[in-house]
Amino acid sequence: MTDTLFSKIINREIPADIVYEDELCLAFRDINPQAPVHILVIPKKPLVDLAASTPEDEPLLGHLLHTAGKIAADEGYGDAFRIVINNGEKAGQSVFHLHVHILAGRDFTWPPG
Ligand code: AMP
């Protein structure tokens, strides 16, 4: 996997508004928020996307989702938030380092656009 700007954020080569970090993941506010709360949770392991994950990544993927729920709660929206993972360019992925979007603080429609 080639270096993306998210690996640069992990390595503190470019700044980000970091809200959470542990040994497996980092979470920071999206630079172009689509909701009052818009945070990205990324694995420190450089996975391109969800499709590139393997069975050995299952604990990591579970950790990303569990952490996303905790962050939503910490932000005051533990009861109503949306999780999005865009996989592939056609699905809206623009940064090719797996990331979980946490969106909260407004009403959401279904189906998503
Ligand atoms: P996606 O389109 O699912 O790949 O999401 C990529 C997200 O990364 C978008 O919501 C962007 O606004 C966000 N983004 C891009 N550059 C940065 C950055 N330097 N810091 C924080 N978020 C960023």
Side-chain angles (χ1 to χ4, degrees):
M1 176 174 148
T2 52
D3 247 19
T4 66
L5 68 123
F6 287 178
S7 43
K8 291 187 170 66
I9 289 175
I10 292 169
N11 296 328
R12 306 301 202 270
E13 291 164 26
I14 61 172
D17 186 356
I18 294 169
V19 298
Y20 177 83
E21 179 170 24
D22 63 27
E23 68 281 8
L24 294 176
C25 70
L26 185 73
F28 52 91
R29 295 190 192 282
D30 197 292
I31 205 166
N32 182 25
Q34 302 302 309
V37 172
H38 188 173
I39 291 169
L40 304 174
V41 188
I42 67 172
K44 289 186 174 174
K45 176 178 176 176
L47 275 172
V48 172
D49 56 21
L50 193 58
S53 67
T54 66
E56 81 170 24
D57 296 316
E58 283 180 14
L60 173 61
L61 297 175
H63 182 71
L64 294 177
L65 285 181
H66 182 68
T67 301
K70 283 201 304 191
I71 292 170
D74 287 348
E75 293 285 320
Y77 294 99
D79 58 338
F81 58 93
R82 180 168 286 183
I83 295 297
V84 174
I85 298 174
N86 295 323
N87 189 102
E89 211 170 332
K90 280 188 183 165
Q93 187 176 5
S94 61
V95 179
F96 292 89
H97 181 128
L98 175 64
H99 48 284
V100 176
H101 294 258
I102 307 166
L103 297 146
R106 65 167 170 85
D107 292 338
F108 296 98
T109 58
W110 193 263

